[in-house]
Amino acid sequence: MEDTTTTTTIDDEDQSPTSKRHLISSSSISDHRPLPNIPFDIVAKILLILPVKSLLRFKSTCKSWNEFISDPQFAKDHLRASASDRNPNRNRFLVTFKTLRINNESQPYLRDYSISSVLDGSEATAAPARNKFPCLESRTKFLCGSCDGMICMATNPSWPIVWNPSTGKFKQLPPLAAADGGLVYGFGYDHIGDSYKVVATLDLSNIRLAANRNDYQFDNFVYTLGTDSWRQIHGFAGLVVKDSSGKFVNGTLNWLACDANNFAVVRVLSLDLATEQYQTLIITPVDGRPDIEVRWLRSAVLKGCLCIVAERDMVADYFVMKEYGNAGSWTLMFRIPYANVLPEFFSFHMAPIWVSEEGDEILLAYLGMLSVYSTRNGGSFKAAGIGLFRGSMLAAAYTETLMSPS
């Protein structure tokens, strides 16, 4: 191969066991000194720590590299390596809107941001390119969950898509009819079956008309990536789902749900993706506390832990379950008082998106705005530098991976 720059290839013609495991390098026209042979196992270790963008470019280096990087096992190995990599540049988040109006007209909107650039303010002057998302022309999008660098979205309530924004690969799931109500989704990984699953719950808004709410059963369906159809699973009774999407933690999907006969009683509805069985978890910090009047509850995932945001008079508490399933492990991570809220954030209902490794900064979404709250120096807010829009903002954090939804 002739080129004016140094190129690197694997010699696929040499059939000897030794040479097939070595990287054969050609020299440039300007420098004829040969480069040393590099054992391929060392090359593999180097590739494992590279970002996805670089790996996608290197697939065109030669046939051997393309096959190696395209191997599903390499994607899994790269995922595990990324989990231990604290490089903040690999942490990103998507922003979209249920309804966005610009100049009184509905507009499609989907942006992809680096968390590190938002924190340091550099994103404020940048205009990130809109990702190549399937069905971008759709005016309405729903974020249904994220797992291992893949995001489940729906361009309408009954037509979900699983998409890897780092690679551009996506899987369009077959539509799931919801004649009498809306659909609430969740997306996560079944570590026993080594498969990714999308869960849909038929959320009937007329549940209050049921004769006996305790016996009312929601319809529940599961789609396993790699199959071609939905299947119905055993549902749950006596609860009404409050969350718009399930939160994936420790092999389970979790929704806030209230008692069908007493909406003031709130639990965590948990689905084990391996057994496909439901259970309920008690929110210990606020359960059975008549001295605490909680005005609003919200669920999220922070640092791999289930998080519950309890908003009450003059303060918002951010609790995390340090040991999943252990009701005694709820721990207060943040407390944000009204006094520290910027005027434009005066109304609460701020959804946490991401928290720093040190636990001193948290990225929050509220309506058409993003803000960073810092616990340093007594606590303070700063705007994230992303424009103010009229609409209901949805955001999901993810890490760049090669995992394929196909």
Side-chain angles (χ1 to χ4, degrees):
M1 179 184 297
E2 293 186 359
D3 200 345
T4 58
T5 59
T6 302
T7 57
T8 308
T9 61
I10 296 291
D11 187 353
D12 292 317
E13 301 299 327
D14 192 335
Q15 300 300 313
S16 66
T18 301
S19 60
K20 287 189 71 175
R21 291 182 56 81
H22 281 69
L23 185 69
I24 308 302
S25 303
S26 64
S27 60
S28 67
I29 293 178
S30 60
D31 186 354
H32 293 282
R33 291 175 297 175
L35 295 176
N37 292 337
I38 304 176
F40 191 73
D41 56 350
I42 295 179
V43 174
K45 291 179 180 179
I46 295 174
L47 292 176
L48 280 175
I49 63 175
L50 293 179
V52 171
K53 185 176 180 179
S54 298
L55 292 171
L56 295 178
R57 289 202 313 266
F58 291 161
K59 288 177 68 174
S60 61
T61 301
C62 63
K63 180 180 178 182
S64 298
W65 279 31
N66 181 50
E67 292 177 351
F68 182 72
I69 296 172
S70 301
D71 190 329
Q73 185 58 51
F74 177 78
K76 293 180 180 180
D77 294 340
H78 184 264
L79 173 65
R80 284 192 289 268
S82 298
S84 59
D85 183 2
R86 297 189 177 184
N87 181 357
N89 293 322
R90 293 193 182 183
N91 295 315
R92 306 188 66 85
F93 68 100
L94 286 177
V95 173
T96 186
F97 289 81
K98 285 184 179 179
T99 55
L100 174 66
R101 299 190 66 82
I102 300 176
N103 297 327
N104 293 322
E105 293 185 3
S106 179
Q107 299 287 339
Y109 185 93
L110 184 65
R111 294 282 180 100
D112 183 5
Y113 294 94
S114 162
I115 287 179
S116 61
S117 63
V118 170
L119 293 178
D120 63 26
S122 61
E123 203 71 40
T125 57
R130 184 180 296 159
N131 275 6
K132 294 181 179 179
F133 176 71
C135 305
L136 181 62
E137 66 279 1
S138 172
R139 301 298 187 187
T140 302
K141 299 180 183 67
F142 303 88
L143 286 175
C144 309
S146 65
C147 178
D148 292 346
M150 295 182 291
I151 294 178
C152 183
M153 300 181 70
T155 54
N156 65 63
S158 62
W159 204 300
I161 294 172
V162 179
W163 174 51
N164 184 329
S166 301
T167 65
K169 294 183 178 180
F170 68 93
K171 171 69 175 179
Q172 175 77 67
L173 276 59
L176 186 60
D180 299 321
L183 286 164
V184 177
Y185 290 99
F187 173 57
Y189 176 66
D190 170 10
H191 67 283
I192 300 298
D194 189 23
S195 58
Y196 292 92
K197 295 180 177 179
V198 178
V199 177
T201 297
L202 184 59
D203 181 17
L204 296 181
S205 58
N206 60 354
I207 184 174
R208 300 188 184 197
L209 302 179
N212 188 340
R213 298 179 192 171
N214 285 328
D215 295 333
Y216 190 89
Q217 290 277 345
F218 278 82
D219 290 334
N220 295 268
F221 303 88
V222 171
Y223 184 98
T224 302
L225 294 186
T227 65
D228 294 320
S229 62
W230 294 89
R231 54 187 173 83
Q232 190 165 3
I233 63 172
H234 182 70
F236 53 88
L239 294 171
V240 179
V241 175
K242 295 183 64 176
D243 275 332
S244 59
S245 64
K247 309 305 185 295
F248 176 68
V249 179
N250 197 39
T252 67
L253 286 173
N254 301 269
W255 298 263
L256 284 179
C258 55
D259 188 294
N261 289 301
N262 183 358
F263 282 15
V265 177
V266 182
R267 297 285 186 266
V268 173
L269 177 66
S270 172
L271 174 65
D272 187 311
L273 287 175
T275 63
E276 297 181 353
Q277 297 294 315
Y278 285 96
Q279 66 170 330
T280 57
L281 305 175
I282 296 176
I283 309 173
T284 308
V286 298
D287 186 71
R289 295 286 304 275
D291 57 316
I292 298 178
E293 182 182 355
V294 177
R295 295 187 298 148
W296 188 269
L297 285 176
R298 181 186 294 275
S299 66
V301 179
L302 294 178
K303 299 180 73 171
C305 296
L306 181 63
C307 173
I308 297 296
V309 184
E311 299 179 3
R312 50 193 176 87
D313 189 29
M314 301 304 291
V315 72
D317 288 332
Y318 291 70
F319 296 98
V320 294
M321 183 179 266
K322 290 287 189 179
E323 181 185 344
Y324 184 82
N326 181 358
S329 69
W330 286 104
T331 304
L332 180 65
M333 175 179 281
F334 284 96
R335 171 167 287 172
I336 303 179
Y338 263 132
N340 289 347
V341 179
L342 293 172
E344 56 265 42
F345 283 89
F346 187 75
S347 177
F348 265 28
H349 307 339
M350 290 181 287
I353 301 172
W354 173 89
V355 64
S356 64
E357 281 293 325
E358 296 76 14
D360 59 351
E361 286 187 309
I362 182 169
L363 181 63
L364 301 163
Y366 166 68
L367 292 182
M369 299 184 66
L370 290 168
S371 181
V372 178
Y373 180 76
S374 173
T375 60
R376 297 189 294 266
N377 301 320
S380 62
F381 274 94
K382 68 176 181 180
I386 299 175
L388 173 64
F389 300 97
R390 295 173 57 192
S392 181
M393 175 184 287
L394 302 172
Y398 71 95
T399 300
E400 295 177 336
T401 74
L402 291 168
M403 301 304 293
S404 175
S406 301

